[in-house]
């Protein structure tokens, strides 16, 4: 090998080593990165008797990045937008307010239509607010509605809404709740994929799932389908000692959610976005405590 060939091959080798090293460092950084999370809560958690503007100011002063409203609601749109713009407190999304009263899985088509129309309004409201998701309970299974019926009916109604979601740019985010429907993370992922649309995903509630599964398994299975997070605790002891629903009546870190494991799962899928507290609210002191606990969760 002459000197010229030697120098060329040495340079190529050095470049290859450098590239491998760069990719390895980038991969390590991705694994080690903490989830980048913005903190919000639900509008109904603010229990102080204040104007819309003053509630927005309060939440901003307490260190929240946003607040989620119900939709449809009775708030004045201009008042809400003025409060948002004045304070800089964002409205990341809304929660549909009629999906329990008029489930998308209801046997009566007229009842299902009421819910579908309410979600349509929520999509337009959310666009006006500057949000990106509408939280929707996709259906309810009970003595009158079979699992298969809930699956078929809810998907049919959601498909009617996809053109509206595309027009508004607002996504429909399904929440896992105690509705006896979509109880497996693999099934939940499939339910989303069958729409073949980027306008649907999951609003994953970490505390809700603990009754029958482990949050990390859901996070890894849902992966990029997770659009936003709801945060709450759940205690097996309180459930067993005091009754099923009492399991939620426990403060962050006093229940059975393994927050470090949850964080590791969020890191694994590269989650970055909003997390909203959905717990018992109160006055400013209580709301500050919730925000501080949320900070601690993502440091765990």
């Amino acid at each position: 090998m002459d000197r010229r060939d030697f120098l060329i091959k040495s340079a190529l080798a050095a470049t290859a080593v450098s590239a491998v090293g760069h990719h390895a460092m980038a991969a390590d950084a991705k694994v080690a990165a903490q989830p980048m999370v913005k903190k919000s809560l639900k509008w109904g958690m603010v229990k102080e008797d204040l104007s819309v503007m003053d509630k927005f100011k309060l939440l901003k002063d307490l260190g929240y990045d946003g607040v989620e409203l119900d939709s449809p609601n009775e708030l004045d749109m201009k008042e809400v937008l003025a409060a948002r713009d004045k304070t800089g407190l964002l409205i990341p999304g809304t929660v549909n307010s009629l999906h329990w009263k008029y489930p998308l899985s209801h046997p009566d088509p007229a009842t299902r239509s009421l819910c579908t129309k309410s979600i349509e309004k929520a999509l337009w409201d959310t666009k006006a607010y500057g949000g990106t998701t509408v939280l929707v309970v996709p259906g309810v299974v009970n003595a009158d509605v079979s699992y298969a019926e809930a699956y078929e009916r809810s998907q049919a109604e959601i498909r009617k809404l996809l053109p509206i979601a595309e027009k508004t740019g607002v996504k429909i985010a399904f929440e896992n709740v105690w509705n006896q429907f979509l109880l497996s993370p693999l099934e939940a992922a499939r339910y989303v994929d069958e729409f073949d649309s980027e306008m649907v995903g999951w609003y994953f509630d970490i505390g809700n799932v603990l009754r029958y599964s482990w949050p990390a398994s859901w996070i890894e299975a849902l992966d990029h389908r997770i659009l936003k997070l709801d945060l709450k605790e759940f205690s097996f002891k309180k459930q067993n000692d005091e009754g099923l629903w009492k399991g939620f009546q426990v403060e962050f870190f006093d229940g059975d959610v393994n927050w470090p494991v949850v964080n590791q799962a969020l890191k694994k899928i590269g989650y970055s976005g909003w997390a909203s507290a959905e717990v018992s609210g109160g006055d400013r002191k209580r709301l500050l405590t919730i925000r501080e606990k949320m900070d601690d969760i993502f440091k765990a």
Side-chain angles (χ1 to χ4, degrees):
M1 181 186 301
D2 62 25
R3 184 172 181 274
R4 180 174 176 276
D5 288 340
F6 174 79
L7 292 174
I8 291 173
K9 290 181 179 180
S10 296
L12 290 172
T15 301
V17 170
S18 176
V20 170
H22 174 76
H23 289 307
M25 290 173 63
D28 289 342
K30 182 177 180 180
V31 170
Q34 288 286 344
M36 297 296 293
V37 176
K38 294 181 179 180
K39 296 175 290 295
S40 71
L41 74 170
K42 310 303 182 184
W43 181 250
M45 291 169 57
V46 184
K47 300 301 184 183
E48 294 203 5
D49 186 15
L50 300 169
S51 67
V52 170
M53 178 67 76
D54 286 338
K55 284 185 178 181
F56 269 68
K57 288 179 179 178
L58 170 63
L59 294 175
K60 187 67 174 178
D61 290 344
L62 293 178
Y64 287 95
D65 302 297
V67 61
E68 287 200 327
L69 310 180
D70 287 340
S71 179
N73 61 51
E74 297 181 356
L75 299 174
D76 181 86
M77 177 68 74
K78 291 182 179 179
E79 192 175 0
V80 170
L81 296 182
R84 180 201 65 184
D85 295 343
K86 176 79 171 179
T87 63
L89 187 78
L90 302 177
I91 306 172
T94 64
V95 178
N96 180 258
S97 56
L98 295 177
H99 50 209
W100 287 114
K101 187 176 182 179
Y102 308 119
L104 290 173
S105 55
H106 198 279
D108 179 17
T111 299
R112 298 198 298 271
S113 180
L114 290 173
C115 188
T116 302
K117 290 176 181 176
S118 75
I119 297 171
E120 180 177 347
K121 176 168 173 46
L123 288 166
W124 286 109
D125 283 348
T126 306
K127 174 180 172 60
Y129 292 143
T132 58
T133 56
V134 175
L135 185 155
V136 172
V137 173
V140 178
V141 173
N142 54 36
D144 300 317
V145 178
S146 73
Y147 211 101
E149 288 170 336
Y151 204 102
E152 180 181 354
R153 290 170 185 167
S154 62
Q155 283 198 335
E157 295 300 321
I158 293 297
R159 285 193 174 95
K160 296 175 185 177
L161 291 161
L162 292 181
I164 307 299
E166 290 169 359
K167 287 180 183 178
T168 59
V170 176
K171 298 184 179 184
I172 299 169
F174 307 122
E175 186 186 29
N176 54 297
V177 293
W178 291 4
N179 53 345
Q180 308 306 316
F181 184 46
L182 302 176
L183 300 177
S184 154
L186 299 180
E187 179 190 29
R190 187 187 74 180
Y191 183 84
V192 167
D193 292 346
E194 286 175 348
F195 288 102
D196 193 24
S197 171
E198 295 182 353
M199 302 313 297
V200 294
W202 273 92
Y203 204 124
F204 181 60
D205 189 306
I206 293 168
N208 278 352
V209 80
L210 198 63
R211 170 189 167 197
Y212 49 83
S213 191
W214 301 109
S217 297
W218 278 72
I219 291 168
E220 292 177 11
L222 293 178
D223 199 356
H224 62 278
R225 303 169 189 85
I226 296 178
L227 304 177
K228 290 188 173 76
L229 301 170
D230 261 348
L231 304 184
K232 62 167 69 80
E233 266 286 3
F234 189 79
S235 166
F236 294 130
K237 185 177 188 307
K238 287 185 72 71
Q239 170 195 289
N240 295 334
D241 293 348
E242 303 175 33
L244 182 59
W245 289 92
K246 295 294 184 179
F248 288 121
Q249 296 181 10
V250 63
E251 299 299 323
F252 287 125
F253 297 103
D254 293 336
D256 290 296
V257 176
N258 190 329
W259 294 108
V261 171
V262 167
N263 278 335
Q264 283 301 119
L266 292 173
K267 291 178 194 176
K268 185 175 180 179
I269 69 168
Y271 181 78
S272 178
W274 287 92
S276 181
E278 190 181 29
V279 297
S280 297
D283 61 12
R284 64 191 65 213
K285 182 178 179 181
R286 168 65 178 160
L287 298 176
L288 176 60
T289 297
I290 293 169
R291 198 272 298 157
E292 291 172 340
K293 292 289 187 181
M294 293 176 76
D295 286 342
D296 292 340
I297 282 172
F298 292 105
K299 294 175 184 175

